[in-house]
Amino acid sequence: MIINDGFIPKRQVNPKVPPGQYVVNDFPVLSLGPTPDISINDWKLEIAGLVEAPQVFTWTEFERLPRVEMKTDIHCVTKWSKLDTLWGGVSMDFLIEQVIVSESATHLIAHSYDGYSTNLPIEDVRGGKAMIATSFEKEPISTPHGGPARLFVPHLYFWKSAKWLSKLEFVNGDIPGFWEVRGYHNYGDPWKEQRYLDD
Ligand SMILES: Nc1nc2c(c(=O)[nH]1)N[C@H]1C(S)=C(S)[C@@H](COP(=O)(O)O)O[C@H]1N2
Ligand SMILES: [Mo]
């Protein structure tokens, strides 16, 4: 006799999937407005604020920087997770060292070509946890997904991974970004389900 016959577990238990999330195989696009059209010739990435050596990279300059890869899961606050995605780009550790971030800087504010912004504690972009991604699954990141370059901070909900990155600003004190002032959680840890303000 099979006593468990007909028993279907309510939720698939996968230790890689944070609470309240489900796995997708497609790759949804979530943007607050129209996708900005940024030509590679006009693209610039500025790194400024509390740094000793501020920089403005052109695409040609940025492409010459050393590359890293991260293969990891991503989690959107709208509850989809996508497992084992492969991204390539320039490590935030490398960039932090290049511009010589001041001891007094506590947060990073990422600014984007569509007017989006998001805030992160500096610890969260150090130690191999974050990069400026320019490739997804070995191909240039498509424009809807943030190409030519997006921030990639996969241990936090995906709204922290600013698409169409234009500027990284190191600051002392926190400045909530686009979604953070509109009710999203300031930090956004998917494992603690920090989705909204009071979570
Ligand atoms: N510049 C910019 N970055 C952004 C957004 C945006 O609207 N503009 N949306 C955020 C949100 S809410 C999510 S969930 C992810 C979605 O990334 P995707 O469209 O590649 O799935 O990008 C984040 N980064
Ligand atoms: Mo999102």
Side-chain angles (χ1 to χ4, degrees):
M1 192 177 89
I2 304 161
I3 51 167
N4 266 344
D5 194 21
F7 173 78
I8 298 156
K10 247 192 159 163
R11 205 166 77 81
Q12 223 173 316
V13 181
N14 181 338
K16 279 165 71 75
V17 182
Q21 299 290 112
Y22 62 90
V23 175
V24 295
N25 292 313
D26 59 342
F27 191 178
V29 169
L30 283 110
S31 307
L32 61 95
T35 295
D37 185 14
I38 313 140
S39 123
I40 283 299
N41 297 322
D42 301 335
W43 183 89
K44 281 191 171 53
L45 175 69
E46 183 181 356
I47 308 189
L50 298 172
V51 301
E52 272 179 46
Q55 294 224 29
V56 181
F57 293 102
T58 63
W59 184 253
T60 323
E61 290 162 347
F62 197 73
E63 268 200 317
R64 288 201 199 105
L65 302 179
R67 314 253 110 195
V68 292
E69 280 192 332
M70 286 170 85
K71 186 170 188 172
T72 188
D73 310 333
I74 55 180
H75 312 291
C76 177
V77 71
T78 61
K79 302 203 165 178
W80 57 266
S81 290
K82 190 168 174 62
L83 305 183
D84 298 317
T85 56
L86 178 65
W87 300 78
V90 178
S91 164
M92 277 305 301
D93 293 297
F94 175 83
L95 292 167
I96 285 171
E97 210 171 280
Q98 282 283 298
V99 299
I100 319 173
V101 173
S102 148
E103 292 276 308
S104 64
T106 60
H107 289 75
L108 170 65
I109 315 300
H111 301 268
S112 300
Y113 280 99
D114 61 341
Y116 187 81
S117 64
T118 190
N119 55 313
L120 299 130
I122 291 181
E123 308 88 83
D124 286 88
V125 297
R126 281 200 150 115
K129 292 198 286 289
M131 68 166 146
I132 296 182
T134 57
S135 77
F136 170 69
E137 303 297 342
K138 305 269 187 194
E139 300 288 338
I141 297 177
S142 70
T143 312
H145 285 298
R150 78 181 294 169
L151 190 62
F152 186 65
V153 193
H155 70 287
L156 300 176
Y157 280 124
F158 213 35
W159 88 77
K160 294 286 182 182
S161 293
K163 303 195 278 190
W164 313 299
L165 201 59
S166 61
K167 181 176 175 179
L168 295 179
E169 186 186 7
F170 290 91
V171 295
N172 178 281
D174 202 3
I175 306 168
F178 181 88
W179 283 123
E180 292 84 4
V181 300
R182 288 169 176 79
Y184 278 28
H185 196 275
N186 195 51
Y187 183 65
D189 181 345
W191 295 97
K192 295 183 178 157
E193 281 208 78
Q194 293 174 339
R195 298 176 194 275
Y196 307 109
L197 208 60
D198 300 321
D199 290 344

